[in-house]
Amino acid sequence: MLHCDTYLTPASLDEAFDAMAAHQGRCRIVAGATDLLPWAREGRAGDVSIPVLIDITRIPEMNERRIDDKRVRLGAATPIQRFLDGPSLGRALPGMPRCAVWFADDQIRESATVGGNIVNASPAGDCIPPLIAHEAEVELAAKRDGKIVRRRMKLDQFVRGPSRTAIEEGELLTAFECDALAGYGGSFEKVGHRRSLVISVACIAALVKLDDSGRGFEDVRLAIAGVGPVPQRLSDVEEFLRAAPISQERLEQAAEMPVARVQSRTRQAYRREVLRGFVMRGLINALRRAGAGPEILAPELEASYV
Amino acid sequence: MSELRIEATINGRKVKRTAQPHQRLLDFLRDDLHLTGAKEGCGAGECGTCSVFVDGVLKKSCLVPVGKAQGTNIETVESLAMGNDLSVLQQAFHKAGASQCGYCIPGMVMAATAAMRANPFAGREEIKERLGGNICRCTGYQKIIDAVELARDVQNGRLPISALAELDQEDGKFIGANIRRLDAPSKVSGALKYAADMTMPNMLHLQVLRSPHPHARIVSIDTSQAEAMDGVEGVITCADVPGEDGFGVFVHDQPIMARDKVRYVGEAVAAVASEDPVIARRALEKIKVVYEPLPALFDIDAAMAKDAPVLHDYAPDNVTKHIPIRVGDIEQGFAESDLVIEETYSTQAIEHAYLEPEAGLAYVDPDGVVTVISPSQNITHHRHMLSKIIAQPINKVRFIMSPVGGGFGGKEDMIYQGMLALMAMKTRRPVRLVFTREESIASTAKRHPSRTVLKMGLMSDGRIRALQLNMICDGGAYGLSSEGVMRKAAILGAGPYNIPHLRVDTLALYTNNTPSGAFRSFGALQTQFATETTLDMAAERLGLDPFEIRRVNAMRNGATTHTKQKLKSVSLLRVLEAAAKGSNWEAGIPTSRGDTRTDMGGEGLRPACTLGARFETIEATEPQSEVA
Ligand SMILES: Cc1cc2nc3c(=O)[nH]c(=O)nc-3n(C[C@H](O)[C@H](O)[C@H](O)COP(=O)(O)OP(=O)(O)OC[C@H]3O[C@@H](n4cnc5c(N)ncnc54)[C@H](O)[C@@H]3O)c2cc1C
Ligand code: FES
Ligand code: FES
C-alpha cells in the first residue's frame, strides 16, 4: 500500500511549488494516481511510505484547454476521457480519440491524466505515440528565486527511456501543445491480451491527410511504441509515402520498412509480424477516416487487415 | 500525521469527517461509513467492484486517494435503490438473472448506470464497451448485457414496465422453468454482506507474514519486537496451536502456520492483530524469522529424481497420491489396433480468480464457542478439522458460511480460518482477515499443472481398442484436494467411450510450488484434454469426421464405465448433436475444408471484439454541449 502522512491539494502553481520546496526529497506528485497506487503493491514496489503527496489536479492551469486553427494547448492534468466527450477535441487532435478508447476503461480514463502518462514514460504508455505524431511539445515549470520559470521541449526529446524523462527535481509538467490537424484521418492500433484494461504489447498511431485529388498522400505521420525502449516517429516511412499516390503496393512496401526496428527483448519474431500488419491497418484506417473511398482503397484489402 | 478533513455529500447527505491521508476513497466509504456495496476485488483498478460516482463521474474508488473526495458529491450503489424500490436497472438485473455469486454485481450495476446516463440509447456494442472495466467471473457477460438492454428499452418506453415483472411461472413447476433468484435483490442493491463487509464491535484486523522462500528450515521466529509495538494486540505462530496441527481435504499435511519448515513462497508463518491494519502490517516487519534455505523442487521431474529432496517425511518418494485403473489387457489391445497414436500433453497452473478475495471473521461467543465466519466451500469438514487443531470438543467449534463471492473449488481449503480462530482465542476479541488480491493469488490453491502421456490404439473404423493414459501432476507443497483430483482425473479421463483395454495412472507429486487443489472439473479437464485431442488426431489420420469418431465410441444407455459404474442414461449422443448444430459443423474429416468456410459467421457466432462503437454517438454530439 501507499502510505503518506500528509496529502496536500494546492489550489495554484505557486502553492504547489512552495509545497514541493518545503518537502523537498520527501514528496511525490499525484495526478490521477492510476500509476502511483497500483505501483505501491505486493509484487511491484510493495508497501511504500512517502511522507507528503501533492495532488496537482485542482490547479486551474493544469486543466487548461485552448484550441485554435494551428495549435492545441492542454493542461497536464487533462483526463484521457476528455478526448471522448464530444467531437471538437477529436477533430483538432484526430490521433487521440482512438487512443483514448483503447486506453484502460471508461472509469480509469476519468482519473488517468495525459501528464501522468507522459511523466510515467512507460514503454507501453499509449498517449505518447499519437502525441509525438502531433508534434507535441511539453511545458515544464519550476519556481526559481520566487519566480515561476518555464521551458519547453519536444515530447520525443522529453522521453529518454523506460520510466526516464528529462524532468528535473522541482519541476512540474504543466501543459502540452500539439499541432491542430483538422482534416486528417487518425488511427490508433494496439495489440494486447484483451480489449479493455490492457497494457499495449505494441501500438501505433497514424495520421494521414489526402491531397486535393483525393488519390495521393499529402501528409503522413506515424509513431510506434512497444517495439523499442522509447516510442519513435517513423520518419522514413512518412517520407516514403508523402506526396505518393495511394496504392496497395506502396502501402505494403511501407509496412515492411519499420520491421527491422523491433528491438524489444522478448518475442521479437511475433512483434515483427504484428508490426507489419499493424502499420498496414493503421494506415488503412487513417486513410478511410481521411476520406479515402472504395475506389482508392479496395474493400478486399481493408478486409484482410482491419 | 496530519488528518484530512473531508466534507462531501455522500448519497445526498452532508458528511464531515476526518480521514487518514493514506486512505483511498474505497477505505473511507467501507471502513468509516460502512457503505460496503463497493467492494475490493483487486485494489489495482482492474476489476470494477469498487466503482462509485464522484461528481457524476464513475471512478474506481480503489484508485482514488480520499483527499480527492473533498468537496465532492459521491453516489454509491446504496443510493440507487431508494426506500424499497430497486432502480429500473437493478430490476432488470434481477429479471435477467444477471447475478450469480453477486460480488461483481454492485459494480456492474454502477457501470451500467453510468453507461445509460452517458447514452440512454446505447446499442449492445456500446454497452459492452462502456462496461469494459468490470470483470465478472461467474454470471458471464451475456445476461448482464441483456439486463442493460432490457432496462434501456423500458426506460425509453420501447418495452412496458411489466417487462421487468416476475416471470410467468407454471404452477409449482421449478425444474426447467426460468425462475428468479431469491437472493438477487440483495446482490443488485449491494446490501448483501460478504465476509469482508462484516464488522463487530471491538474487532481487530489480522495481517499475515508469509514465507519468501520456496523451501527452508525455520531456525527461529522472534516475535518479541512486534508484540512490544503500541497497538499490537496479539501475535501468533504455530507455537500457539494447542492441538493436532494439520489440515487438508484428504491428508492433513498442512499446518495452520508453517511448522519447522516452509514449503512454498507465500505460506503463512506468523500473524499479527491490531485495531489498525497499518500497525499490523508494520508489526510484520518486526518479526524476525531466521531461515536456512533448502534445495527446492520446482517441477515434477525434479520431484521424481533419485535423491530428490523430501518435502514431507511421510512421503519419502514425494508422491501425494497415485490412482491406477486396469481394464482388460492393454498390450493385446495395442496389438489388435490398426492405428496407434502416442502424444504428450501438458497443462499449466490456473488461478480461480474468484472476484471475492478470501476473508473471514472469527470470535469466541459467550458460551466459549469458537466461531468462524468465512466463504468456505466446506464448513462441516473445516469444523471437524479445527476441533482437533484447537483441541476443543466439536460443540465448541462453529463455522458459519458467509456468501461466497465465487469459489470454483478454490475456497475448499482451510487456508486461513485456523489463524483467525487462534487469534480470536488468544485475544478474546473478534478478528477479521481480508486477503489482498496478491495474497489470494500467492497463497491459495491452483489448478494442477499436468503432463499426460497418452497412447491410443484404434481400429480403422474409429473404434478405440486400447487407451493408456499416464498423467503426472504438480501437486505443489501440500496435499489439499490432490487425492480427489487424481481420482476424478482417472475415473473420467478416458472419456465417455467404450474401451475394452485400458490402463490409467494419475499421480500427484509434492513440489515447492503453490499448492494445487480443487478447481471446477476436478482433474477431468487435464486428462480429457489429452483424450479428446488424441481423438481429433485419430479422426484426421483415419479420414473420419471428428463427431463421427466420437459417436462410434460413445457409451449409450445401460453402459458400464471403466470403473464398473452402471449408467442408466447417457446423454453423450444428444450433446454431440447439439454441439454439431450449435457450431454449424461442416461434416467431414478435419483436413477436408476448402477455402471458404460455411461454419463461420452464422447464427450464434459473433465477430471478433473491437472498440469504438461510441464514435457514431460522439460524432452526432453538438460541440457546444461538451463540457470544457
Ligand atoms: C487498470 C489500469 C489500466 C491501465 N491501462 C492503461 C492503458 O491502456 N494505456 C496506458 O498508457 N496506461 C494505462 N494505465 C496506466 C495509467 O493509467 C496511465 O499511465 C495514466 O495516464 C497515468 O496518469 P495518472 O494521472 O494516473 O498518473 P499518476 O499515477 O498520478 O502519476 C504517474 C507519475 O507521474 C508523475 N506526475 C503526474 N503528473 C505530473 C505532472 N503534472 N508533473 C510532474 N509529474 C507528474 C507522478 O509523480 C508519478 O510519478 C492503466 C492503469 C490501470 C490501473
Ligand atoms: S477496480 Fe477497484 S477493487 Fe478492483
Ligand atoms: S456474479 Fe459476477 S463475479 Fe460472481
Side-chain angles (χ1 to χ4, degrees):
Chain A
M1 64 179 288
L2 184 60
H3 197 271
C4 68
D5 298 323
T6 307
Y7 192 95
L8 299 174
T9 310
S12 68
L13 265 190
D14 247 332
E15 259 182 68
F17 286 125
D18 291 347
M20 286 162 73
H23 302 290
Q24 199 185 356
R26 315 169 49 240
C27 68
R28 186 86 183 248
I29 301 302
V30 186
T34 63
D35 271 321
L36 223 43
L37 284 178
W39 162 75
R41 290 184 67 90
E42 203 65 35
R44 297 185 63 194
D47 286 358
V48 178
S49 266
I50 299 172
V52 182
L53 292 178
I54 303 173
D55 184 329
I56 50 96
T57 56
R58 291 199 182 175
I59 300 172
E61 204 182 327
M62 291 279 183
N63 293 293
E64 209 188 339
R65 178 195 289 199
R66 262 188 274 156
I67 308 178
D68 63 33
D69 292 349
K70 294 224 167 56
R71 297 286 275 178
V72 177
R73 181 185 166 90
L74 292 173
T78 301
I80 313 288
Q81 187 77 347
R82 296 292 75 81
F83 298 103
L84 296 171
D85 284 341
S88 60
L89 203 48
R91 277 183 198 147
L93 297 180
M96 291 312 290
R98 301 277 160 178
C99 164
V101 86
W102 282 99
F103 192 107
D105 67 55
D106 278 89
Q107 302 174 51
I108 301 279
R109 292 197 290 264
E110 289 286 3
S111 294
T113 66
V114 180
N117 198 246
I118 294 174
V119 175
N120 200 50
S122 153
D126 282 332
C127 289
I128 299 171
L131 288 177
I132 287 182
H134 274 285
E135 302 275 0
E137 267 184 355
V138 294
E139 184 183 277
L140 302 160
K143 196 167 177 181
R144 311 231 192 272
D145 305 325
K147 277 221 292 281
I148 293 181
V149 289
R150 295 170 200 263
R151 60 185 181 123
R152 279 164 178 260
M153 192 183 283
K154 285 263 189 205
L155 177 57
D156 50 8
Q157 317 255 292
F158 179 73
V159 178
R160 295 275 162 90
S163 309
R164 279 195 303 119
T165 69
I167 200 163
E168 281 168 16
E169 175 74 37
E171 267 186 327
L172 284 175
L173 178 67
T174 43
F176 57 97
E177 282 192 23
C178 305
D179 284 351
L181 297 177
Y184 280 63
S187 66
F188 180 84
E189 314 295 333
K190 173 166 172 175
V191 173
H193 299 296
R194 59 194 294 270
R195 192 165 66 146
S196 297
L197 291 177
V198 59
I199 299 297
S200 291
V201 174
C203 67
I204 185 163
L207 287 163
V208 169
K209 184 160 203 239
L210 303 185
D211 63 14
D212 291 340
S213 74
R215 304 189 155 270
F217 291 98
E218 183 178 307
D219 190 18
V220 181
R221 301 185 178 193
L222 285 166
I224 51 169
V227 295
V230 286
Q232 25 187 323
R233 200 63 193 267
L234 301 177
S235 314
D236 52 340
V237 187
E238 294 176 0
E239 199 52 49
F240 178 72
L241 291 173
R242 203 167 288 137
I246 300 160
S247 73
Q248 172 167 355
E249 203 191 347
R250 191 118 192 140
L251 286 173
E252 278 168 356
Q253 283 171 350
E256 204 56 50
M257 293 170 69
V259 168
R261 293 180 182 237
V262 175
Q263 301 167 10
S264 56
R265 273 167 298 174
T266 55
R267 297 191 286 169
Q268 275 224 3
Y270 167 72
R271 283 174 200 253
R272 287 190 169 157
E273 192 54 38
V274 163
L275 188 59
R276 185 180 300 112
F278 229 36
V279 177
M280 258 328 247
R281 190 198 289 181
L283 285 169
I284 292 171
N285 276 333
L287 275 165
R288 261 298 176 254
R289 289 175 200 140
E295 70 293 350
I296 309 289
L297 208 58
E300 303 83 70
L301 178 66
E302 186 168 356
S304 52
Y305 286 102
V306 175
Chain B
M1 170 96 63
S2 41
E3 283 183 335
L4 279 175
R5 185 103 191 120
I6 303 291
E7 292 183 24
T9 305
I10 297 180
N11 295 341
R13 312 278 308 168
K14 286 254 178 285
V15 170
K16 286 187 192 176
R17 288 240 180 189
T18 51
Q20 306 296 312
H22 67 264
Q23 279 184 310
R24 304 161 303 170
L25 177 55
L26 181 63
D27 306 319
F28 182 65
L29 293 171
R30 288 177 55 83
D31 301 340
D32 298 1
L33 303 177
H34 301 288
L35 291 166
T36 56
K39 320 235 169 265
E40 180 159 0
C42 70
E46 302 282 353
C47 75
T49 54
C50 63
S51 309
V52 302
F53 286 102
V54 180
D55 287 335
V57 167
L58 196 67
K59 293 201 171 175
K60 292 181 166 175
S61 62
C62 70
L63 294 188
V64 178
V66 69
K68 286 181 184 286
Q70 170 55 27
T72 61
N73 180 13
I74 290 168
E75 298 161 82
T76 70
V77 68
E78 284 88 351
S79 73
L80 298 181
M82 277 306 181
N84 285 327
D85 292 333
L86 296 177
S87 73
V88 168
L89 256 164
Q90 289 170 319
Q91 291 177 55
F93 269 66
H94 185 193
K95 167 78 187 252
S99 72
Q100 208 180 102
C101 84
Y103 203 78
C104 72
I105 295 298
M108 285 287 181
V109 168
M110 292 296 274
T113 304
M116 288 293 99
R117 286 184 188 175
N119 181 5
F121 302 96
R124 198 170 174 94
E125 284 305 312
E126 186 172 338
I127 292 170
K128 279 194 220 165
E129 191 172 308
R130 291 188 184 274
L131 265 54
N134 292 62
I135 294 173
C136 173
R137 285 287 289 160
C138 27
T139 300
Y141 299 97
Q142 300 310 314
K143 287 182 176 176
I144 290 172
I145 294 158
D146 289 348
V148 186
E149 287 199 292
L150 172 61
R152 174 199 63 202
D153 291 346
V154 169
Q155 263 159 352
N156 297 334
R158 267 183 278 176
L159 283 174
I161 193 94
S162 61
L164 300 169
E166 189 65 74
L167 303 153
D168 293 337
Q169 212 184 98
E170 278 179 52
D171 264 352
K173 190 175 169 212
F174 291 97
I175 293 170
N178 203 352
I179 52 165
R180 294 214 286 191
R181 293 180 73 103
L182 294 175
D183 60 0
S186 71
K187 291 172 175 169
V188 300
S189 63
L192 185 66
K193 298 279 183 197
Y194 297 84
D197 303 333
M198 298 175 186
T199 53
M200 287 182 86
N202 215 20
M203 184 178 86
L204 299 172
H205 295 275
L206 198 72
Q207 294 282 321
V208 181
L209 182 70
R210 299 187 175 278
S211 165
H213 298 287
H215 198 192
R217 200 169 72 77
I218 298 176
V219 181
S220 61
I221 306 179
D222 177 3
T223 59
S224 55
Q225 279 188 43
E227 274 174 279
M229 260 176 80
D230 279 352
V232 168
E233 298 296 334
V235 180
I236 51 168
T237 64
C238 65
D240 293 280
V241 175
E244 245 178 78
D245 193 2
F247 68 90
V249 180
F250 294 88
V251 52
H252 296 178
D253 58 353
Q254 183 163 2
I256 294 298
M257 280 166 284
R259 184 175 291 277
D260 306 330
K261 281 219 274 190
V262 290
R263 295 182 177 88
Y264 72 101
V265 173
E267 181 169 0
V269 176
V272 176
S274 166
E275 280 179 19
D276 181 351
V278 177
I279 292 179
R281 278 184 90 83
R282 296 221 159 128
L284 295 181
E285 293 163 17
K286 298 260 156 74
I287 299 177
K288 300 276 167 281
V289 186
V290 179
Y291 295 101
E292 180 190 301
L294 297 170
L297 300 172
F298 296 118
D299 60 55
I300 50 179
D301 293 313
M304 290 186 294
K306 223 163 85 64
D307 304 325
V310 173
L311 262 66
H312 295 268
D313 293 342
Y314 92 94
D317 48 2
N318 289 324
V319 172
T320 320
K321 194 69 194 177
H322 172 207
I323 304 288
I325 297 176
R326 304 285 179 267
V327 179
D329 178 341
I330 193 77
E331 291 312 327
Q332 184 197 331
F334 286 125
E336 288 165 7
S337 300
D338 297 324
L339 171 70
V340 175
I341 298 179
E342 185 170 347
E343 266 300 334
T344 303
Y345 303 89
S346 60
T347 65
Q348 77 282 29
I350 300 174
E351 159 65 23
H352 306 73
Y354 24 78
L355 271 199
E356 179 206 24
E358 287 73 2
L361 175 57
Y363 55 92
V364 182
D365 85 358
D367 297 322
V369 178
V370 178
T371 308
V372 183
I373 307 175
S374 73
S376 152
Q377 291 182 274
N378 212 343
I379 48 172
T380 306
H381 189 221
H382 287 187
R383 181 174 178 233
H384 283 94
M385 289 191 292
L386 188 64
S387 132
K388 287 213 174 112
I389 292 168
I390 60 174
Q392 291 285 322
I394 193 81
N395 66 342
K396 291 291 177 203
V397 181
R398 184 174 178 206
F399 269 80
I400 299 174
M401 186 177 179
S402 56
V404 182
F408 320 128
K411 289 178 181 164
E412 281 189 15
D413 309 305
M414 205 177 74
I415 289 282
Y416 57 99
Q417 289 86 345
M419 289 187 280
L420 279 168
L422 289 177
M423 190 60 94
M425 290 161 67
K426 187 158 185 173
T427 58
R428 293 277 145 175
R429 290 174 68 169
V431 189
R432 192 176 78 184
L433 169 61
V434 181
F435 277 31
T436 61
R437 172 60 58 189
E438 290 85 344
E439 223 175 352
S440 171
I441 290 176
S443 66
T444 67
K446 305 283 165 279
R447 188 189 291 286
H448 285 77
S450 71
R451 184 173 70 209
T452 300
V453 180
L454 190 139
K455 189 171 165 189
M456 188 184 277
L458 303 100
M459 305 310 290
S460 53
D461 62 2
R463 275 177 302 142
I464 309 172
R465 282 308 288 168
L467 189 142
Q468 179 176 309
L469 184 156
N470 190 309
M471 175 173 78
I472 306 175
C473 286
D474 181 345
Y478 292 100
L480 303 184
S481 293
S482 277
E483 178 170 340
V485 172
M486 292 309 105
R487 283 188 196 285
K488 268 282 194 296
I491 293 168
L492 299 173
Y497 305 118
N498 293 308
I499 303 172
H501 306 288
L502 191 75
R503 185 189 169 97
V504 174
D505 292 276
T506 58
L507 190 76
L509 299 174
Y510 282 120
T511 69
N512 294 103
N513 292 327
T514 314
S516 302
F519 197 147
R520 281 181 161 185
S521 95
F522 225 72
L525 179 128
Q526 290 94 323
T527 44
Q528 290 188 355
F529 167 60
T531 303
E532 295 296 335
T533 309
T534 310
L535 268 175
D536 285 341
M537 291 193 276
E540 199 172 312
R541 302 252 197 109
L542 295 172
L544 292 169
D545 175 78
F547 278 94
E548 185 53 27
I549 199 169
R550 289 173 170 85
R551 263 183 231 115
V552 167
N553 289 293
M555 287 181 180
R556 285 148 209 260
N557 294 353
T560 305
T561 67
H562 313 304
T563 45
K564 299 209 165 62
Q565 188 184 355
K566 261 262 195 250
L567 301 177
K568 265 197 266 172
S569 79
V570 181
S571 56
L572 178 59
L573 290 177
R574 274 189 290 147
V575 169
L576 287 173
E577 196 187 317
K581 192 156 170 267
S583 61
N584 296 332
W585 186 250
E586 292 174 18
I589 50 171
T591 46
S592 71
R593 293 224 163 74
D595 290 342
T596 51
R597 300 185 58 170
T598 56
D599 57 339
M600 302 296 278
E603 196 195 339
L605 295 169
R606 62 165 200 209
C609 292
T610 183
L611 287 171
R614 74 183 67 192
F615 283 112
E616 241 172 79
T617 325
I618 291 178
E619 282 306 316
T621 315
E622 284 307 312
Q624 55 267 41
S625 69
E626 281 179 55
V627 275

